[in-house]
């Protein structure tokens, strides 16, 4: 699928807006992760939310977890919704909204992404790769390809974390893109895959809510739209 078709919202995009759910809790593992400690080292108060959608496993048949996450990344950062923000960040991001964290070390292979077309759709970039000066790939975890849920109570998931802001500033946070393979509930039902966009934000310098709490309504709408672009990239590959 070409980049242009990922940019323009199509039927799958609007279906995702309707079918995705928005909640406030995120996975406990995100809030105890290395990503969390880099971004919020003083463990100040946070706000969280998550957008989720469950899709049939057959919709992503043949794709590895990394490929699913890579496609979602291209839709999130390279889709129609993010286009204006990416342009603004290319112009002013390095000066006003740099992503950096005390003690964080990038992989030697890390790259700088300045254009959406530079985001690969089949693999995740190395840890430390910087998107538009303002989103840093802080961590990633890919489950073993051969591992499948062994029971209805077990899930297998992979994720990639992008940090924004700085622990030396008054606003920072992270987006975690997560894919979870869910087992079939019964012998007559199909396996499913859950896609999550998990988010936390904080004021790393003061133990008070971040400035973003004043525009929660905008964050809700923007998160749903960005998520829908990510889902579109996966399902219309």
């Amino acid at each position: 699928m070409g980049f242009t078709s990922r940019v323009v919202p199509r039927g799958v995009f609007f279906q995702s807006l309707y079918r995705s759910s928005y909640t406030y809790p995120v996975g406990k593992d995100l809030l105890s992760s290395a990503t969390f400690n880099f971004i919020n080292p003083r463990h100040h108060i946070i706000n969280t939310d998550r957008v989720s959608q469950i899709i049939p496993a057959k919709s992503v048949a043949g794709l590895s977890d990394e490929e699913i996450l890579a496609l979602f990344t291209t839709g999130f950062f390279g889709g129609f919704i993010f286009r204006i923000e990416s342009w603004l960040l290319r112009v002013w991001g390095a000066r006003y909204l740099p992503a950096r964290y005390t003690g964080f070390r990038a992989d030697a292979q890390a790259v700088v992404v300045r254009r959406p077309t530079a985001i690969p759709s089949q693999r995740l970039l190395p840890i430390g790769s910087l998107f538009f000066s303002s989103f840093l790939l802080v961590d990633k975890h890919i489950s073993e390809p051969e591992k499948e849920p062994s029971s209805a109570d077990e899930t297998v998931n992979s994720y990639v974390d992008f940090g924004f802001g700085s622990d030396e500033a008054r606003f920072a946070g992270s987006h975690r893109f997560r894919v979870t393979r869910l087992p079939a509930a019964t012998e007559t039902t199909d396996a499913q895959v859950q896609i999550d966009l998990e988010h936390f934000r904080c004021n790393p310098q003061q133990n008070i809510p971040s400035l973003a709490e004043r525009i929660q309504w905008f964050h809700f709408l923007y998160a749903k739209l960005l998520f829908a672009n990510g889902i579109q990239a996966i399902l219309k590959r």
Side-chain angles (χ1 to χ4, degrees), residues 193-214:
V193 172
Q194 180 170 319
I195 310 296
D196 293 302
L197 165 59
E198 297 178 296
H199 167 84
F200 75 83
R201 58 192 179 274
C202 64
N203 181 333
Q205 291 298 303
Q206 295 178 281
N207 197 19
I208 59 176
S210 73
L211 295 174
E213 305 323 306
R214 300 177 183 177

Side-chain angles (χ1 to χ4, degrees), residues 34-98:
T35 296
F36 183 87
N37 290 322
F38 275 125
I39 294 171
N40 188 19
R42 300 172 184 86
H43 289 202
H44 286 170
I45 58 175
I46 60 170
N47 287 86
T48 65
D49 54 66
R50 168 164 52 185
V51 186
S52 301
Q53 185 173 338
I54 295 177
I55 60 178
K58 61 185 179 182
S59 298
V60 292
L63 292 178
S64 67
D65 284 6
E66 181 170 15
E67 289 171 321
I68 294 172
L69 291 171
L71 283 165
F72 189 91
T73 301
T74 64
F76 186 96
F77 288 115
F80 174 82
I81 301 304
F82 195 75
R83 178 186 284 182
I84 295 176
E85 183 176 349
S86 67
W87 181 83
L88 292 172
L89 291 176
R90 288 199 298 272
V91 177
W92 291 300
R95 181 174 181 180
Y96 295 107
L97 292 171

Side-chain angles (χ1 to χ4, degrees), residues 29-206:
D29 59 330
L30 173 57
L31 303 183
S32 61
S33 65
T35 296
F36 183 87
N37 290 322
F38 275 125
I39 294 171
N40 188 19
R42 300 172 184 86
H43 289 202
H44 286 170
I45 58 175
I46 60 170
N47 287 86
T48 65
D49 54 66
R50 168 164 52 185
V51 186
S52 301
Q53 185 173 338
I54 295 177
I55 60 178
K58 61 185 179 182
S59 298
V60 292
L63 292 178
S64 67
D65 284 6
E66 181 170 15
E67 289 171 321
I68 294 172
L69 291 171
L71 283 165
F72 189 91
T73 301
T74 64
F76 186 96
F77 288 115
F80 174 82
I81 301 304
F82 195 75
R83 178 186 284 182
I84 295 176
E85 183 176 349
S86 67
W87 181 83
L88 292 172
L89 291 176
R90 288 199 298 272
V91 177
W92 291 300
R95 181 174 181 180
Y96 295 107
L97 292 171
R100 53 175 176 246
Y101 311 107
T102 304
F104 177 80
R105 295 292 179 268
D107 289 351
Q109 299 81 17
V111 300
V112 175
V113 173
R114 294 186 175 88
R115 300 283 178 182
T117 49
I119 305 172
S121 60
Q122 294 182 316
R123 60 181 176 84
L124 296 172
L125 290 173
I127 290 174
S129 294
L130 186 62
F131 289 58
F132 315 113
S133 301
S134 296
F135 289 90
L136 187 66
L137 200 164
V138 181
D139 194 16
K140 59 183 177 179
H141 167 74
I142 306 300
S143 295
E144 299 174 10
E146 67 276 6
K147 186 172 177 57
E148 296 287 342
S150 60
S151 70
D153 297 325
E154 182 186 3
T155 59
V156 177
N157 73 84
S158 302
Y159 60 81
V160 57
D161 294 341
F162 293 92
F164 54 86
S166 169
D167 63 313
E168 298 178 343
R170 295 183 179 181
F171 178 65
S174 175
H175 299 307
R176 170 168 286 189
F177 306 162
R178 190 196 299 266
V179 54
T180 306
R181 296 187 183 269
L182 306 172
T186 68
E187 293 182 357
T188 59
T189 58
D190 295 329
Q192 297 176 309
V193 172
Q194 180 170 319
I195 310 296
D196 293 302
L197 165 59
E198 297 178 296
H199 167 84
F200 75 83
R201 58 192 179 274
C202 64
N203 181 333
Q205 291 298 303
Q206 295 178 281

